Amino acid sequence: MNILGLVEINNWILTLVLLCISALLYSRWKHSLFKQYGIPGPSPTPFFGVALKYNRKGLAVTDQEMVKTYGSVVGVYMGHSPLLLVSNPDTIKEIMVKDFSRTPNRPKTFRPTNEMKHGLLGTDNDHWRFLRNTLLPTFSSGKMRMMEPLFKAKYEQLLENLNNKVKTGKPIEFNEVFGAYTIDVIASTGFGVDIDSQKNPESDFVRHAKPFFNVTFGLLLLLILMFPKFNAVLDWFGKSPLNRIEPMAFFRNVTNQAIGLRKDDEEKRKDLLQMMLNAHHDTDVNDNEVKQYYQNPDKWKSRGLSMEEVLGNSILFMLVGYHTTSNALTFASYNLATNPECQEKLIDEIDTVLGKECPNYDNVQKLDYLDRVFCETLRLYPSAARFTPENKAKRHPYAYLPFGHGPRSCIGMRLAQVEMKFAMTYILQHYRFKTCAETEIPLTISKAALIKPENGVKLLLEPRA
């Protein structure tokens, strides 16, 4: 093509230039929403929004910088998806509780196409309300007591493995130890499978679980971030980084086999899987939460969970419960090792309340200082007196939200807490955490979306007399 008789440009070059300009204008239009409403925020990078900054600096650091720069309400874009970053406790309360009915659904930058779309995070409106109401009794205090034998088997297994590591005299990598303990608990309670991933880290269950935890920020994920509908194209060809086809097939088979074995077994295993299968008959009450009211109650009569809903939620509990629980235990062990006076106070409390008695659901509820240690850990601060009853009363209740709040709060909060408390209590009944030459002080925090120690946590265990 000849332009004004001055420049000769090939048609394909001109077409490419026009496409690039059109794409750039489209991206700028998608990034104009917050400016229209006068909401402050950083200038978004075309196509990526704030995603590259998150990848470069990490989620926590980036969010803190934006709040300091732009205030308590910040408009950002993840790709082209608008996200509101809110740090004012009163505004958070308005969104999570008072105005929950106006925004009951979670944003879905990536929409799952497999059984995960039937999980609590993948459903909306009345379908979500049905799942939430049906699953609530599964996490009641009574159900936690029923699963005590399963927890006990796993924290005893944890201590046995630690005993073997102590005999070597070498520092112990607790990020790996607690990761193995957490996946063992999930396999036992969520899928009815007994494994020991510390002794057998390459078991089929662990090998197929790892892809769910290791989503890399690669080219395909960036393309999906910019153009979410592109994921459907990739999924059709079986190339989506978000749809783990082989692992999903494995867990589908494991779940079906576990359920099939129980049909002829009169003494059914008391775990989350069985409780989900029985949930529609359950009359137990979860005293942490009230049931949600349906918009169309006639459509959602009491029915059992479908196989897709059971599998989707089993995998969801594995995803949300693995890194969060293992990281909290890892940080707690580090905090206790680097604050020995706090560790001694906790050991004294455990000895006074439990003595030689094994941890169970009821006696760990009496360990007030242990609760404070985990509260501090979940804020990633060293163990100290912040979380006394007096300080809790003074602090805004929406300034500390490790498990969320309101109707969309973490349904498995009680399970995660007892899983952590059982492990920590049982270890401290036998050992003390000690720093060593290989302990990184201070810790380098990973830039990943989930806050975790970048280089792990290496500590020694000192046997108690």
Side-chain angles (χ1 to χ4, degrees), residues 113 229-241 243 245:
T113 56
K229 292 185 179 179
F230 181 57
N231 186 47
V233 178
L234 292 173
D235 192 53
W236 192 82
F237 287 101
K239 299 297 183 181
S240 171
N243 185 6
I245 296 175

Side-chain angles (χ1 to χ4, degrees), residues 158 192 198 223 287 370 391:
L158 167 66
Q198 287 193 65
L223 288 172
D287 49 11
L370 176 62
N391 285 343

Side-chain angles (χ1 to χ4, degrees), residues 2 4 79 109 142 189 246 263 266 300 305:
N2 187 284
L4 300 179
T109 304
T189 59
E246 183 186 350
K263 288 181 179 179
E266 294 182 3
W300 300 95
L305 297 176

Side-chain angles (χ1 to χ4, degrees), residues 311-419:
L311 178 59
N313 283 291
S314 292
I315 294 178
L316 174 63
F317 297 149
M318 178 175 68
L319 289 176
V320 300
Y322 175 69
H323 279 304
T324 50
T325 305
S326 62
N327 287 341
L329 281 165
T330 302
F331 279 116
S333 64
Y334 173 83
N335 286 343
L336 291 170
T338 53
N339 294 270
E341 71 286 354
C342 297
Q343 182 169 206
E344 289 308 313
K345 189 171 181 179
L346 178 55
I347 288 174
D348 288 343
E349 180 184 65
I350 291 171
D351 289 349
T352 301
V353 176
L354 272 68
K356 299 296 183 181
E357 183 182 1
C358 288
N360 59 51
Y361 180 80
D362 292 300
N363 61 26
V364 296
Q365 307 306 317
K366 301 173 185 176
L367 299 175
D368 176 67
Y369 195 73
L370 176 62
D371 188 62
R372 294 188 217 174
V373 167
F374 276 115
C375 284
E376 293 290 348
T377 297
L378 290 170
R379 292 184 61 182
L380 299 182
Y381 291 143
S383 299
R386 278 191 203 90
F387 280 91
T388 62
E390 294 77 17
N391 285 343
K392 284 183 178 180
K394 294 175 186 176
R395 188 177 57 247
H396 196 294
Y398 285 78
Y400 173 72
L401 302 171
F403 295 99
H405 220 295
R408 281 275 187 177
S409 62
C410 175
I411 195 171
M413 175 182 69
R414 183 176 271 140
L415 185 145
Q417 288 176 331
V418 299
E419 182 182 347

Side-chain angles (χ1 to χ4, degrees), residues 156-172 177 196 198-200 431 461 463:
E156 287 179 341
Q157 185 174 285
L158 167 66
L159 189 71
E160 179 187 342
N161 289 323
L162 286 174
N163 290 339
N164 293 331
K165 291 179 181 295
V166 168
K167 291 175 183 177
T168 68
K170 297 178 181 179
I172 300 170
V177 168
D196 186 345
Q198 287 193 65
K199 291 180 180 175
N200 186 14
Y431 291 103
L461 283 178

Side-chain angles (χ1 to χ4, degrees), residues 81-306:
S81 300
L83 301 174
L84 208 58
L85 173 62
V86 180
S87 60
N88 180 276
D90 291 317
T91 308
I92 292 172
K93 183 177 180 180
E94 292 283 336
I95 295 170
M96 287 186 159
V97 180
K98 291 185 178 180
D99 291 335
F100 175 77
S101 60
R102 300 177 63 182
T103 56
N105 300 322
R106 288 185 180 273
K108 296 177 181 64
T109 304
F110 310 125
R111 287 192 172 270
T113 56
N114 49 36
E115 284 89 345
M116 293 298 294
K117 67 184 177 183
H118 300 287
L120 279 166
L121 294 185
T123 52
D124 294 328
N125 302 315
D126 272 356
H127 192 182
W128 167 77
R129 294 182 181 94
F130 163 74
L131 290 177
R132 185 90 184 186
N133 289 341
T134 304
L135 291 170
L136 270 177
T138 302
F139 296 94
S140 67
S141 56
K143 296 301 190 300
M144 296 302 106
R145 293 186 184 95
M146 287 175 61
M147 289 194 291
E148 278 179 4
L150 301 180
F151 285 114
K152 187 172 185 289
K154 294 307 167 186
Y155 68 66
E156 287 179 341
Q157 185 174 285
L158 167 66
L159 189 71
E160 179 187 342
N161 289 323
L162 286 174
N163 290 339
N164 293 331
K165 291 179 181 295
V166 168
K167 291 175 183 177
T168 68
K170 297 178 181 179
I172 300 170
E173 173 51 76
F174 275 93
N175 203 35
E176 295 177 0
V177 168
F178 288 129
Y181 164 72
T182 303
I183 199 70
D184 290 349
V185 171
I186 291 170
S188 177
T189 59
F191 294 90
V193 178
D194 283 315
I195 62 173
D196 186 345
S197 59
Q198 287 193 65
K199 291 180 180 175
N200 186 14
E202 296 303 320
S203 68
D204 284 347
F205 190 97
V206 175
R207 185 167 55 84
H208 285 91
K210 283 182 178 179
F212 288 105
F213 307 130
N214 301 326
V215 178
T216 56
F217 201 71
L219 177 61
L220 288 180
L221 198 59
L222 285 174
L223 288 172
I224 295 170
L225 194 64
M226 292 186 289
F227 308 104
K229 292 185 179 179
F230 181 57
N231 186 47
V233 178
L234 292 173
D235 192 53
W236 192 82
F237 287 101
K239 299 297 183 181
S240 171
L242 303 175
N243 185 6
R244 307 297 192 178
I245 296 175
E246 183 186 350
M248 281 298 301
F250 172 82
F251 284 104
R252 189 181 300 116
N253 185 49
V254 167
T255 305
N256 288 334
Q257 284 185 355
I259 293 172
L261 290 172
R262 297 173 191 215
K263 288 181 179 179
D264 301 323
D265 186 4
E266 294 182 3
E267 188 63 31
K268 301 226 173 16
R269 184 183 173 105
K270 295 180 176 63
D271 56 17
L272 287 177
L273 179 59
Q274 189 62 47
M275 291 171 194
M276 283 193 284
L277 295 173
N278 297 343
H280 59 298
H281 299 304
D282 205 328
T283 58
D284 204 353
V285 176
N286 188 328
D287 49 11
N288 274 358
E289 188 175 335
V290 296
K291 285 194 172 185
Q292 298 294 312
Y293 291 100
Y294 299 116
Q295 292 176 335
N296 301 302
D298 291 339
K299 183 180 177 182
W300 300 95
K301 295 181 180 179
S302 180
R303 69 167 174 86
L305 297 176
S306 67

